[in-house]
Amino acid sequence: MALRGNLRDFSITQLLNLINLARKTGTLVIEGASEVAQITFREGKLAYAQIGSEENDLAAILQRSRKITPNQARVIRERTRKMSDKEVGLLLINAGYLTQKDILESLQSYCVDVVRRLFTWVEGSFNFNPDQLTPDGKIPVRIDLENLIIEGSRQLREWEQLQEEIPSLDMALKFTERPGTNIRNLNLSLEEWRVVRYVNPKNTIRQIAHATKMNDLEIRRVVYALLQAGLVEIVRPGGVPVGGMVRPFQTTNKQEQVSLLNRLINKIRSI
Amino acid sequence: MQTVKIVVTGPFNAGKTEFIQSVSEIDVVSTERKITSAAEKVKESTTVALDFGRITVDDDLVLYLFGTPGQKRFDFMWEILSEGMLGFVVMVDSTRPETFREARTILETFRAYAPTPYVVAANKQDCKDAWDIEDMRLALRLDPKVKLLSCVAKDKENVKKVLLELLYSILEEMGEGNS
């Protein structure tokens, strides 16, 4: 089924993670603002990469990794015009110019570099084509995606952690009655002071962000720091602590609650 | 007379109203308005306050289904609707990956309001552009324990299955609470 969408909604890191976990085989075509990249995977591992019209024949890649000089690259191209990368690679190994390890390292380094460049792409569309494999004649590599995902997700991680800690900006803040920190020793940054001024159960975090002209990430960062310092706690707007909810059942008797649920289940089955 | 409540939430145009309509014994009371925002004009009207459906179990018990408005600017309604709910269903449009992140945010917000059981319904699975269920699980960053159910909201049997799975989860959690 379709695996296509927009980079604004689905980052490169998330795509790599999905391909890695699902062990997908195929080619991810990403149309960026000015270039198109094609990244091929085999069973969730990076196999081949191409970006825009950039030269990615074996000679160009070996030159890029400084295994050969520009002059040597030119000579190789002239003498192997109708040969595929696989044939050129075998020729260089058999002639004793390079080892298999040299060639594979260069190819791996190039593919990783292409994917790294994609981490900066935030605009564009993607489409995963499971039928498209490494182009004929090209030498596929086999690179685990984990390290690349870690690298790409490092910048996303802080944002995600903060979202988990503070999932809703529609909650309010109040000062804790017994702060866990010795207030005398607490040093607040300028941003933290600006937020502290507005800490009041009547103000939602979103309203504080608006008043202090902070974006979602900045306000979450500051609120998280204040929470960690034990200076504030999250409450529902108006001051009701989180957790003081209206009960879903009128009865508090567990057996009656189970009986009620079973009646609901039987009814829905019979609709 | 006892009343219990299940909330159906999710991003704009995920199929919440249709979901409730499929099983409600009354015509769903919708507070819909014509859409004014060009960006959201994929359908003619949308829910602005809530959808309301009802299933009468017997003389003594009624289940209410509340559908939340999907557009962000009406999210002040979510907290009110979440009060006292048995559990909630997060509807996700399987054909619109651009809404997955929002679905995740809505899920987290409802969990913050009330840590009740929930299930995620991958709607529009009958469409050719629908994402695979397991791809959606990864994209939505759902724990393997979270029930992610294939769904077609206009199909009553599908909707029943989703509601039953939610009720089973509530029963299970009550069992865990007992032990």
Side-chain angles (χ1 to χ4, degrees):
Chain A
M1 284 195 211
L3 180 58
R4 58 169 168 262
N6 197 299
L7 290 181
R8 267 173 299 172
D9 309 306
F10 222 75
S11 70
I12 297 287
T13 314
Q14 287 172 309
L15 280 170
L16 291 183
N17 198 29
L18 195 150
I19 288 163
N20 180 44
L21 291 173
R23 300 172 64 82
K24 285 192 178 289
T25 297
T27 296
L28 180 66
V29 181
I30 306 166
E31 289 190 27
S34 56
E35 283 179 312
V36 177
Q38 296 198 31
I39 317 293
T40 305
F41 302 89
R42 189 175 171 84
E43 293 177 343
K45 299 199 188 302
L46 177 60
Y48 173 75
Q50 185 180 359
I51 192 163
S53 53
E54 186 174 279
E55 275 191 338
N56 75 339
D57 60 283
L58 187 58
I61 289 171
L62 290 170
Q63 182 192 330
R64 188 185 293 265
S65 64
R66 295 171 194 270
K67 299 285 183 200
I68 57 175
T69 63
N71 200 32
Q72 287 170 323
R74 186 183 50 78
V75 173
I76 290 171
R77 276 202 204 95
E78 280 172 4
R79 293 186 185 176
T80 60
R81 260 183 221 287
K82 289 182 182 168
M83 291 168 78
S84 70
D85 277 359
K86 281 181 182 170
E87 290 166 328
V88 174
L90 274 175
L91 195 73
L92 291 171
I93 293 167
N94 290 338
Y97 292 122
L98 291 168
T99 64
Q100 187 180 14
K101 189 168 168 251
D102 290 330
I103 292 173
L104 283 178
E105 278 177 358
S106 300
L107 288 165
Q108 285 171 346
S109 164
Y110 177 74
C111 289
V112 167
D113 178 59
V114 168
V115 175
R116 275 192 188 128
R117 278 188 268 168
L118 295 180
F119 288 145
T120 60
W121 290 21
V122 288
E123 293 285 339
S125 59
F126 64 84
N127 183 20
F128 187 83
N129 183 355
D131 302 320
Q132 192 177 336
L133 304 175
T134 306
D136 284 343
K138 294 289 182 185
I139 304 169
V141 290
R142 191 174 166 82
I143 302 168
D144 287 334
L145 289 177
E146 281 88 349
N147 284 333
L148 275 170
I149 293 165
I150 289 168
E151 197 177 310
S153 63
R154 206 165 279 150
Q155 52 193 316
L156 280 176
R157 197 177 300 157
E158 184 194 10
W159 167 246
E160 287 181 350
Q161 277 176 349
L162 287 171
Q163 257 197 327
E164 270 178 31
E165 295 291 339
I166 308 158
S168 170
L169 296 184
D170 296 317
M171 293 298 190
L173 298 172
K174 79 174 187 80
F175 289 111
T176 43
E177 285 164 18
R178 289 181 185 173
T181 312
N182 184 348
I183 300 284
R184 283 177 191 278
N185 296 333
L186 197 65
N187 292 313
L188 296 181
S189 67
L190 181 62
E191 285 76 24
E192 286 161 348
W193 273 119
R194 284 168 61 208
V195 170
V196 162
R197 281 173 55 206
Y198 292 98
V199 169
N200 182 320
K202 288 178 187 165
N203 297 334
T204 65
I205 302 172
R206 195 181 302 283
Q207 286 167 331
I208 298 175
H210 187 71
T212 54
K213 294 189 170 58
M214 289 188 186
N215 63 31
D216 282 8
L217 178 63
E218 289 164 342
I219 190 72
R220 278 189 162 91
R221 238 184 229 152
V222 172
V223 171
Y224 181 66
L226 297 175
L227 284 170
Q228 288 300 300
L231 198 62
V232 299
E233 58 188 69
I234 292 181
V235 292
R236 302 170 104 202
V240 183
V242 177
M245 312 296 267
V246 177
R247 287 201 309 266
F249 297 104
Q250 285 164 16
T251 174
T252 51
N253 182 305
K254 267 269 158 63
Q255 278 186 330
E256 283 179 26
Q257 290 177 355
V258 171
S259 155
L260 187 146
L261 279 172
N262 282 323
R263 281 155 62 198
L264 278 174
I265 289 169
N266 289 335
K267 174 64 187 180
I268 288 172
R269 280 183 185 149
S270 70
I271 294 172
Chain B
M1 171 71 77
Q2 287 192 68
T3 57
V4 287
K5 162 167 112 177
I6 287 176
V7 169
V8 182
T9 187
F12 169 74
N13 199 33
K16 302 177 286 294
T17 305
E18 208 167 31
F19 182 93
I20 296 173
Q21 271 168 349
S22 292
V23 285
S24 175
E25 64 196 21
I26 57 168
D27 285 340
V28 172
V29 182
S30 281
T31 42
E32 295 198 327
R33 287 287 177 275
K34 278 199 182 301
I35 292 170
T36 49
S37 159
E40 288 162 343
K41 207 138 191 171
V42 292
K43 57 177 182 176
E44 282 304 308
S45 66
T46 193
T47 307
V48 292
L50 55 95
D51 287 322
F52 176 70
R54 188 180 74 191
I55 297 171
T56 305
V57 178
D58 50 40
D59 291 344
D60 187 42
L61 179 60
V62 174
L63 168 66
Y64 290 134
L65 296 170
F66 286 93
T68 66
Q71 291 153 299
K72 192 79 184 133
R73 62 181 178 275
F74 300 114
D75 63 4
F76 62 91
M77 290 293 297
W78 296 353
E79 189 182 2
I80 300 163
L81 288 171
S82 69
E83 282 201 343
M85 63 184 173
L86 273 183
F88 61 98
V89 177
V90 183
M91 300 287 294
V92 188
D93 183 340
S94 310
T95 66
R96 295 178 65 210
E98 66 270 27
T99 65
F100 292 175
R101 186 175 293 174
E102 192 190 344
R104 176 78 208 174
T105 306
I106 293 172
L107 195 163
E108 284 169 353
T109 305
F110 270 82
R111 286 291 286 169
Y113 288 148
T116 53
Y118 65 94
V119 295
V120 182
N123 192 24
K124 306 184 190 178
Q125 280 286 314
D126 55 338
C127 295
K128 113 177 139 46
D129 285 343
W131 277 44
D132 267 335
I133 287 281
E134 284 314 307
D135 287 346
M136 285 182 70
R137 180 181 292 283
L138 295 168
L140 289 162
R141 291 187 284 123
L142 294 177
D143 188 276
K145 283 184 230 158
V146 174
K147 288 178 181 172
L148 172 61
L149 308 158
S150 168
C151 178
V152 178
K154 60 193 172 201
D155 181 298
K156 190 204 266 185
E157 289 306 313
N158 267 245
V159 175
K160 280 168 61 180
K161 186 186 77 183
V162 171
L163 288 174
L164 284 170
E165 286 297 336
L166 175 62
L167 290 166
Y168 296 149
S169 294
I170 297 166
L171 261 183
E172 277 166 30
E173 193 167 291
M174 286 175 69
E176 283 167 16
N178 277 338
S179 59

